[in-house]
Amino acid sequence: QVQLAESGGGTVQAGGSLRLSCAASGRTSSSRAMGWFRQAPGKEREFVAGISWNGANAYYSDSVKGRFTISRDNPNNRMYLQMSSLRPEDTANYYCAGDRYLFRSDRLADASDYIYWGQGTQVIVSS
């Protein structure tokens, strides 16, 4: 069992930066790929970024590539999402997620592969 808790959301002006954190607990959390997803009001949840279990591989949606950076600190059971050059369209609830499988390094964009989810943290980008 893996528990996830996000923090770091808030309100920022367009062009600004935020860093989201995800604290993970559970014996196998550091052996699982993890991801960030977001859901804006009235829209479906979408993939933002994913990182392999060992941090060697990272993947991004086209909408955030070059602006967001995903990373993880396995010894401290944390994952991060550094968000820069934020835009109003980045406004959403952001969720961290843990993979159902162990030791995966690719194809991390499918939400159905994640079975552990945090409660979400809200990000609002004002224009």
Side-chain angles (χ1 to χ4, degrees):
Q1 190 77 354
V2 175
Q3 291 81 41
L4 302 172
E6 304 93 339
S7 61
T11 300
V12 63
Q13 287 191 330
S17 299
L18 277 176
R19 189 174 82 152
L20 305 183
S21 296
C22 176
S25 62
R27 194 165 53 87
T28 62
S29 60
S30 61
S31 302
R32 300 179 187 272
M34 297 188 71
W36 287 99
F37 291 77
R38 67 186 181 187
Q39 187 168 20
K43 295 188 176 180
E44 293 188 353
R45 187 171 296 188
E46 64 172 352
F47 170 76
V48 175
I51 190 165
S52 60
W53 69 277
N54 59 359
N57 302 93
Y59 304 89
Y60 300 92
S61 68
D62 289 342
S63 62
V64 307
K65 197 173 295 182
R67 301 188 297 123
F68 292 10
T69 302
I70 189 171
S71 61
R72 68 189 297 165
D73 177 1
N74 277 352
N76 291 302
N77 293 315
R78 286 193 176 269
M79 179 180 65
Y80 303 98
L81 185 68
Q82 178 67 49
M83 305 185 294
S84 303
S85 302
L86 283 161
R87 305 167 180 169
E89 53 264 39
D90 295 317
T91 295
N93 284 322
Y94 284 72
Y95 300 88
C96 69
D99 196 359
R100 71 172 66 234
Y101 306 107
L102 299 177
F103 306 120
R104 277 210 313 149
S105 296
D106 58 9
R107 298 193 304 273
L108 303 181
D110 189 343
S112 66
D113 286 331
Y114 295 86
I115 59 170
Y116 303 108
W117 293 87
Q119 293 299 306
T121 186
Q122 187 176 51
V123 172
I124 298 173
V125 184
S126 60
S127 57

